[in-house]
Amino acid sequence: MALFSRGKNTSGGEASRERGAHRGRGRGRGRGNLKSRFTKHSPFATTRLEEPAEEFSGDGAEVEGGDKKIHDTLESSSEEEEQTYIAIRPYNALLQTLNTDAIGSQPQRKKHKLNNQKIRNLSASSAEANPYPAFKNVKRDVDHVEEPEEGGIVVIADSEVSDDTEEAEGTQDAFDTHYANPDEKKLLEGIRDAREGNWSTRTITFEAVWKTVTITLGSNAMLPWSSNYIPKSIKDLELKYKLKGPAERDILHPTSFDRHLASVIFSYRDLFFYDRTPQKAEKLRKLACLHAINHVLKTRDKIIKNNSRLARGNICDDLEFRDQGFTRPKVLMLLPTRQACVKAIDTIVSFCEPEQQENKKRFLESYAGAAVSFSDDKPQDFRELFEGNDDDMFRIGMKFTRKNVKYFSQFYNSDIIFASPLGLRMAIGSEDAKKQDYDFLSSIEILLIDQADALLMQNWEHVGYIFDHLNLQPKEAHGCDFSRVRNWYLDGNSKYLRQTLVFSGFNTPELNRVFGHNMTNLSGKFKFGKEKYHGSMLGLGTQIKQTFSRFDAATPLLDPDTRFKVFISTIVPALSRNSKAASGRGQGVLIYIPSYLDFVRIRNYLATASNTQSISFGSISEYTSARDVARARSHFFSGRHSVLLYTGRAHHFRRYRLRGVRKVIMYALPDNPIFYTEVAGDYLVASISEGMVDSGEVSARSLFSKWDMLKLERIVGTERSAAMLKEKGGDTFNFL
């Protein structure tokens, strides 16, 4: 169903676990199964060929270099697969014939009647074999766990008792003031202020590079003890004893930046950090994972200490031990790929150093897999995201005891849950609300979303769905001892104490909404990013004419329609007039379209409108097959296609090196400023270096409105973007 699709916008079709259109699982997730609308039965053409000029007659034999080789290789490999399939069929037929003959020679078996009970049992076993019947096309679920619930978290076995459960009496850290023993009066005041929206905002500049937006309650009711404390080293963090040595070993030479982030993370305040880079990724991951396992161990040891007190007896009848939530899982990590999950789990395991790791072999086989590497021409952010197992449908629970770690524990028996948004959405289950199971999210106290910019290229609606089902009252007890549940859980206020950490390479409206709407931590929230952008347009490698055309849209909802009208009234007429370049080759116009829905709209317009019949065009989207991609690239390079439509998600998942580009038109600015450099810079520079065109003949043109403020700032720079949005003397801005 559309609810489980991986694109930002959905419109029907069954879920698929195949990556993109043609490279297996993991990367490409479209905005619903929109591809099915435009199959060979669709009235809309996906391409239109230019009548070949005399020097480019035939099937484009003049195509040079790698593109033709790529096209031929893809054609031949596809033919080999087809021949292999055909060759297997006669052998299967022979086996079937032999089996039939063998069965025929045996005496006929007696027929037995099956009563209704046996039929019901058979149906039940079939349902167990496929725990998600709605996903008929999904292969065997490698993450499925057959394990009974252990009941409430109160009863913990002796094997789970750690050696350092006894903490010094009277010590107070952020865990105690935020979760274990919060001041009841301040807690109630903070919840009241949060519900009324009584927040105060303060913006400061840190080290002349970073901009920090701090939002706290007006009454500062729940500011933790360490709200203004910056640790000098890892030793100064309030860690469990068993974690101190590994933490000092693995987190070396923390910078001032690292120590400021650590002060926010370990004081249980919300954090939205939007300057994540591959260079910063490892340090961020270590800080977040250390905080997560530290929280799990402190929570567990608090319960163990209270268990021992109850076991000794002689407890006052009025004394209560409110030390837990409804269910055991306390930490949820949303990650983009299985490889990212491997990195997070390996980091946690390196900190807790377990003596035994149950199901480790299964984990390595299902998650690590064969190493996938890319050539050096792929950018670093691409290699970090997609090297290794890039499947984006997974979920796994981990249970921690004193000496052991168990992979693939049942969610209700787990301490930490690692999942992709799609994997967790599937775990919640059916569209029927009565059959959904999300009680395991009721007691999440730390939520980490790493590489949120990559999750935006999947289906962000799943992330919103998960937020909607976090910290709700459970539908079932799941063996919970309600006498041990903290009062703010019982009152339905746990979302005001949940800590949310979001790491992203850049800021977007979707992430701003998470910061403003879903981060409601009483201890406050921080937005941490660059103070000023210089602009990715400055790094194109050569002087290229860059034009930015502003249009006015009254609201964000009107922006798509207004943008389309501007495109067909200003861009399309120029394409029609210049349907052939003077050199005899095509125009070489690449139209970059971030949204798949906009891509479909433009493609259909070019295919059906009467004033576009002279424009030859091709298209490459995240759904385009390898053969069609090779054909589109070949025709565009040879000039048989004057225009090539190219989606943002196709570029995100593939990073094609397109040749023959003379002009770039950005239908909308990309969220990722690196994409602007690659599309408007690298493609045009390659054409110049190959001698296909002079530097004065290439250009890049972009459409933008005031709702593109965040994108524009990253591309043209902070100071220029402010002037371009306020300028009243004109709506066209040229840069060289």
Side-chain angles (χ1 to χ4, degrees), residues 204-240:
I204 62 174
T205 301
F206 169 60
E207 293 186 348
V209 177
W210 311 101
K211 180 175 68 175
T212 303
V213 178
T214 307
I215 299 181
T216 57
L217 289 170
S219 60
N220 290 334
M222 284 291 291
L223 279 180
W225 69 277
S226 57
S227 59
N228 297 315
Y229 174 71
I230 307 299
K232 296 180 180 179
S233 67
I234 298 300
K235 294 180 181 180
D236 296 331
L237 297 175
E238 293 291 338
L239 300 175
K240 295 297 294 181

Side-chain angles (χ1 to χ4, degrees), residues 516-631:
H517 181 73
N518 299 113
M519 292 185 176
T520 56
N521 192 338
L522 301 184
S523 292
K525 51 188 175 181
F526 275 62
K527 184 190 292 186
F528 209 135
K530 283 187 177 180
E531 166 69 15
K532 184 180 297 185
Y533 289 92
H534 298 292
S536 61
M537 62 178 288
L538 301 179
L540 300 190
T542 188
Q543 283 193 342
I544 295 175
K545 181 181 179 181
Q546 302 175 65
T547 301
F548 295 85
S549 300
R550 188 185 66 196
F551 64 91
D552 295 325
T555 66
L557 293 178
L558 295 177
D559 185 272
D561 291 336
T562 307
R563 188 182 302 270
F564 181 71
K565 291 178 182 177
V566 171
F567 177 79
I568 62 177
S569 63
T570 60
I571 306 296
V572 172
L575 296 178
S576 299
R577 288 194 302 269
N578 304 317
S579 58
K580 271 290 187 176
S583 62
R585 287 177 175 265
Q587 299 180 66
V589 177
L590 177 68
I591 302 180
Y592 176 87
I593 311 169
S595 166
Y596 183 77
L597 296 181
D598 289 334
F599 164 80
V600 172
R601 188 177 192 179
I602 294 172
R603 184 186 63 183
N604 294 346
Y605 178 82
L606 294 180
T608 59
S610 59
N611 62 332
T612 62
Q613 297 306 303
S614 62
I615 303 174
S616 60
F617 72 96
S619 61
I620 297 177
S621 74
E622 54 268 34
Y623 293 114
T624 309
S625 66
R627 178 175 295 185
D628 289 341
V629 168
R631 183 179 296 110

Side-chain angles (χ1 to χ4, degrees), residues 3 22 69 113 126 129 152 166 214 219 237 241 287 300 304-305 372 411 448 520 658 668 731:
L3 190 57
H22 55 273
K69 291 180 181 179
K113 291 185 178 180
S126 300
E166 293 298 331
T214 307
S219 60
L237 297 175
Y241 179 77
L287 288 174
R300 189 195 64 191
I304 291 173
K305 180 187 291 187
V372 178
F411 276 0
L448 169 64
T520 56
L658 301 178
D731 54 10

Side-chain angles (χ1 to χ4, degrees), residues 268 291-292 295 330-332 444-448 498-499:
Y268 288 94
H291 177 54
H295 179 76
K330 289 294 176 286
V331 179
L332 172 64
I444 295 297
E445 294 175 349
I446 297 178
L447 169 63
L448 169 64
R498 182 191 71 232
Q499 182 186 31

Side-chain angles (χ1 to χ4, degrees), residues 17-195:
R17 286 186 60 180
E18 293 186 359
R19 183 203 331 166
H22 55 273
R23 284 192 60 186
R25 300 180 306 185
R27 288 196 210 167
R29 297 298 165 195
R31 307 184 177 193
N33 195 6
L34 294 170
K35 178 183 176 183
S36 60
R37 296 185 181 182
F38 306 103
T39 58
K40 60 184 179 180
H41 302 293
S42 173
F44 299 110
T46 59
T47 62
R48 182 185 297 115
L49 287 177
E50 187 74 48
E51 289 298 325
E54 190 170 325
E55 60 176 319
F56 292 101
S57 59
D59 56 352
E62 295 295 324
V63 178
E64 299 177 6
D67 285 295
K68 188 174 188 303
K69 291 180 181 179
I70 292 173
H71 187 279
D72 294 341
T73 302
L74 291 170
E75 294 279 357
S76 61
S77 63
S78 181
E79 291 173 0
E80 288 175 3
E81 292 175 1
E82 185 176 355
Q83 291 171 0
T84 303
Y85 173 72
I86 295 173
I88 291 174
R89 291 178 60 188
Y91 180 70
N92 290 339
L94 177 61
L95 287 179
Q96 186 176 1
T97 303
L98 293 175
N99 290 335
T100 303
D101 294 341
I103 294 173
S105 62
Q106 296 177 359
Q108 192 172 10
R109 297 181 180 179
K110 293 182 180 180
K111 297 181 179 179
H112 298 277
K113 291 185 178 180
L114 292 176
N115 57 29
N116 292 335
Q117 183 61 37
K118 290 183 177 180
I119 293 175
R120 284 194 292 269
N121 293 339
L122 182 63
S123 300
S125 63
S126 300
E128 292 176 0
N130 182 11
Y132 302 102
F135 298 86
K136 299 179 180 178
N137 296 329
V138 175
K139 298 180 181 179
R140 184 181 66 86
D141 185 5
V142 297
D143 295 336
H144 182 61
V145 176
E146 290 289 346
E147 178 182 283
E149 291 184 30
E150 296 178 354
I153 191 175
V154 175
V155 180
I156 296 182
D158 293 338
S159 61
E160 296 191 47
V161 179
S162 61
D163 297 326
D164 59 331
T165 57
E166 293 298 331
E167 303 289 347
E169 294 294 337
T171 59
Q172 289 285 310
D173 61 9
F175 174 80
D176 293 309
T177 58
H178 190 80
Y179 285 117
N181 302 301
D183 185 293
E184 292 293 333
K185 181 180 179 180
K186 291 183 178 180
L187 178 64
L188 294 177
E189 291 177 356
I191 292 174
R192 183 197 62 218
D193 287 343
R195 287 176 174 173

